[in-house]
Amino acid sequence: MDDLEQRKLLSVLCHGAIFFSSLMVSIAVPIIILVVSTDPTVQANAKESINFHINLYIYFAIFFILSFALVGLPFLFLLLIASWVMPILAMVQVATNPNKIYRYPFIFHFV
């Protein structure tokens, strides 16, 4: 497999890992790819995917607490939609342009 195909595969795998499970398994995939890969584009995509996961966990905790006051229920619904749509957009973007790093909008960067 050439470098471009490997970059495409690993980048798509980083962003698509959220579909493996909603537990910590999904965040382990981009962490492993970040440690194993030497390609800077793949590493940047892995970091972005990790940041997206962390943001989802934080937003879920906040909206879950707010849902007891019924204020957070619409936000939990929107978070559920975003947790499916945003990774799909990221996977399409890195598959069509593997040399570009995908940046999720509206997230904080911890890693």
Side-chain angles (χ1 to χ4, degrees), residues 27 47-63 79 104-111:
I27 198 169
K47 287 179 186 176
E48 192 69 17
S49 178
I50 293 167
N51 284 320
F52 183 68
H53 280 81
I54 292 170
N55 276 268
L56 282 181
Y57 294 143
I58 292 170
Y59 290 144
F60 176 78
I62 292 169
F63 297 153
L79 185 66
Y104 288 100
F106 309 116
I107 70 167
F108 299 105
H109 290 90
F110 299 106
V111 179

Side-chain angles (χ1 to χ4, degrees), residues 15 17 19 24 33 39 52-53 56 67 73 85 87 104 110-111:
H15 292 290
F19 298 118
M24 297 305 252
I33 291 174
D39 187 351
F52 183 68
H53 280 81
L56 282 181
S67 70
L73 288 177
V85 171
Y104 288 100
F110 299 106
V111 179

Side-chain angles (χ1 to χ4, degrees), residues 15-35:
H15 292 290
I18 198 160
F19 298 118
F20 292 150
S21 77
S22 60
L23 301 173
M24 297 305 252
V25 174
S26 63
I27 198 169
V29 172
I31 290 173
I32 292 170
I33 291 174
L34 177 66
V35 172

Side-chain angles (χ1 to χ4, degrees), residues 56-106:
L56 282 181
Y57 294 143
I58 292 170
Y59 290 144
F60 176 78
I62 292 169
F63 297 153
F64 182 74
I65 292 169
L66 289 176
S67 70
F68 291 114
L70 298 177
V71 176
L73 288 177
F75 293 115
L76 277 175
F77 180 71
L78 290 174
L79 185 66
L80 176 69
I81 292 172
S83 70
W84 280 82
V85 171
M86 297 303 291
I88 291 172
L89 291 174
M91 291 183 336
V92 169
Q93 185 71 26
V94 297
T96 56
N97 191 358
N99 293 324
K100 187 173 180 190
I101 301 163
Y102 183 79
R103 298 283 182 207
Y104 288 100
F106 309 116

